[in-house]
Amino acid sequence: MIARLRQLHPVALMTMLVVIGVLFWMLSVLAARGPAGGVFWIAAALLWMLAWIANDALAHSEAATKSLGRLRDFFVPAVFGITLLFLWQVIVKGFGIPAVLLPAPSDIWAKL
């Protein structure tokens, strides 16, 4: 499966990662409503794995042009960082961890 993903055009992989990002955002909105159940955590784990696989495929894809290669070189670490922020948000809100112990990224952003 990963080998087949690596054959996709980098723009298709970037689009796939944007869709996964939107799904992560929707999951973080659900997490803000309170402690989550088993289905929520399975969905979070699946999204994280999909993001990891798609980002790995993008990192190993061949760019047709130099500018597309630069875009890919920017996009891969950006997606990794954003994925970590979403996971942090989902874990803190999903488990209902008090902000005194570990604030969520959204809480930190609101204070800034």
Side-chain angles (χ1 to χ4, degrees), residues 30-96:
L30 286 175
R33 294 184 179 171
V39 174
F40 173 85
W41 292 113
I42 291 171
L46 286 174
L47 275 177
W48 173 73
M49 285 188 288
L50 283 173
W52 185 291
I53 290 168
N55 205 25
D56 179 64
L58 180 61
H60 291 93
S61 67
E62 293 294 326
T65 64
K66 197 171 189 174
S67 61
L68 193 56
R70 285 188 189 136
L71 182 62
R72 180 202 58 209
D73 292 344
F74 169 77
F75 206 76
V76 169
V79 165
F80 178 75
I82 291 168
T83 302
L84 287 180
L85 286 173
F86 274 122
L87 283 175
W88 178 8
Q89 176 79 18
V90 166
I91 288 170
V92 169
K93 295 295 185 177
F95 281 121

Side-chain angles (χ1 to χ4, degrees), residues 28 32 85 88-89 92-93 103-112:
S28 68
L85 286 173
W88 178 8
Q89 176 79 18
V92 169
K93 295 295 185 177
S106 61
D107 296 337
I108 295 171
W109 183 255
K111 291 289 181 185
L112 291 176

